[in-house]
Amino acid sequence: MSRSVRTSPEGSGPNLSEAYDTALLDLDGVVYAGGNAIAHAVDSLAAARDGGMRLAYVTNNALRTPDAVAAHLTELGIPTGGEDVITSAQAVARLIAEQLPSGARVLVIGGEGLRVALRERGLEPVESAEDDPAAVVQGFGGPELPWGRFAEACYAIARGVPWYASNTDLTIPGARGIAPGNGAAVEVVRIATGAEPQVAGKPLPPMHRETILRTGARRPLVVGDRLDTDIEGAFNGEVDSLLVLTGVTDGAQLLAAPPRHRPTYVDADLRGLLTGQPEVTGDAEGGFRCGGWTATSGAERLELDGEGAALDGLRALCAAAWTAGGERGCGLDSGKALARLGL
């Protein structure tokens, strides 16, 4: 992917599953939500895999171990081994192991995924600030994580112990809606201590490095639902990305995205892996065209004319918005145009 400012989604003649050797798939909001498979995910992934594409599942959720995640995916009808799952717990454990000696004690504020990843790197998980930890690591601990765990982190950090975080996603999608994520918990500790953690998860380089080391991907495609983690992570790693609209990102957020949050491709769901991507043509003066739609940017709002598939209209609107926004996010009103598309 070019580091120049993206002004339009790209087209692809071949199916994406043929154009890329490995799909680096986010989980929450892409493959499942609240533990249940998202519509079309199981069949689409099976078809991509049968066509020769490697599937790797890359998650900022540090709660579960790779084996537990793989077992869940297999239960959903997506055969997966633990080696196919890369978590932010693994990325942060490697980061810590590079800075501390083997056998160092690490205070864990989170779930079993962190403990397993630390042991894999020769580090010793501990539970209390009184256990003389050499570091604190914080990851998503689920809705039952006791408030007192944050206090343990604060006690250790106040003594000068370095603090690490698996990721800083403020929210996490679930079956009942959007819930607080690890980033919200990190903010609790940040406010109480005034400290800043070293962060490993998407969109930062340690997570992308962990993913490439574990998969050996040569031409990867990042597939995600979040602009500020999945898509920005692909941008930072200089690889292509596919945004699917099954998670937290809506049309208005996509159109207003700054350059680092603009995906290479946009599709409704994981069926987008099995198709080519239509080309957006035109320019700012004559309008941008995709399918039966033409999008232009006016003085105050984005305009959309024509008819056809809603996704084609959204792709044309992206070109108009991103061109108008340049190196910033587009501030033009997109409400009427998106309403025409039912988005």
Side-chain angles (χ1 to χ4, degrees):
M1 180 183 73
S2 171
R3 297 284 291 190
S4 62
V5 175
R6 182 176 300 286
T7 56
S8 173
E10 290 187 15
S12 173
N15 296 346
L16 296 184
S17 60
E18 298 169 353
Y20 298 89
D21 69 345
T22 306
L24 304 178
L25 295 131
D26 183 47
L27 288 171
D28 291 303
V30 175
V31 178
Y32 54 63
N36 298 315
I38 288 173
H40 310 295
V42 174
D43 291 345
S44 297
L45 293 172
R49 183 181 59 247
D50 291 346
M53 187 180 219
R54 179 173 181 185
L55 306 179
Y57 301 94
V58 185
T59 177
N60 263 358
N61 190 332
L63 178 60
R64 295 187 293 173
T65 67
D67 285 345
V69 174
H72 178 205
L73 289 169
T74 300
E75 289 174 1
L76 294 177
I78 306 168
T80 307
E83 68 280 3
D84 300 319
V85 179
I86 301 95
T87 74
S88 62
Q90 294 171 319
V92 77
R94 187 186 297 270
L95 184 64
I96 296 169
E98 291 173 342
Q99 299 179 22
L100 298 181
S102 179
R105 295 181 175 186
V106 181
L107 173 57
V108 175
I109 311 301
E112 186 63 14
L114 279 175
R115 296 179 181 89
V116 169
L118 290 170
R119 294 189 189 103
E120 183 184 41
R121 292 289 158 206
L123 301 166
E124 180 183 351
V126 298
E127 301 302 315
S128 171
E130 303 310 310
D131 292 328
D132 194 27
V136 175
V137 64
Q138 187 172 359
F140 186 63
E144 306 305 322
L145 185 70
W147 187 259
R149 301 305 297 154
F150 303 142
E152 291 298 322
C154 294
Y155 300 149
I157 293 167
R159 298 170 189 168
V161 170
W163 176 30
Y164 299 82
S166 63
N167 67 297
T168 53
D169 297 28
L170 291 173
T171 61
I172 186 169
R176 297 173 59 193
I178 302 300
N182 190 54
V186 167
E187 285 302 308
V188 171
V189 177
R190 191 200 310 267
I191 291 167
T193 63
E196 292 289 335
Q198 294 186 54
V199 183
K202 296 180 284 187
L204 298 173
M207 186 65 170
H208 184 71
R209 179 180 60 147
E210 189 74 18
T211 300
I212 298 302
L213 286 172
R214 288 180 179 268
T215 64
R218 295 184 176 275
R219 184 161 169 72
L221 177 69
V222 170
V223 185
D225 70 308
R226 299 184 70 108
L227 300 179
D228 59 349
T229 55
D230 306 314
I231 305 309
E232 184 174 342
F235 177 86
N236 290 338
E238 299 188 56
V239 298
D240 289 349
S241 60
L242 166 66
L243 177 77
V244 291
L245 302 176
T246 48
V248 300
T249 299
D250 62 23
Q253 292 168 332
L254 175 61
L255 296 180
R260 66 184 182 278
H261 291 170
R262 296 171 185 172
T264 314
Y265 311 106
V266 179
D267 221 307
D269 51 53
L270 286 176
R271 288 175 295 180
L273 287 174
L274 308 178
T275 66
Q277 295 287 309
E279 184 180 5
V280 179
T281 61
D283 54 33
E285 183 176 351
F288 295 93
R289 293 172 291 281
C290 187
W293 299 98
T294 299
T296 56
S297 57
E300 298 181 352
R301 65 179 57 85
L302 295 171
E303 305 287 351
L304 186 66
D305 294 309
E307 59 182 16
L311 274 171
D312 287 340
L314 181 60
R315 295 177 180 113
L317 282 171
C318 284
W322 297 349
T323 299
E327 296 188 6
R328 305 178 304 278
C330 178
L332 297 174
D333 179 13
S334 61
K336 184 176 180 181
L338 289 172
R340 286 200 63 190
L341 300 174
L343 297 174

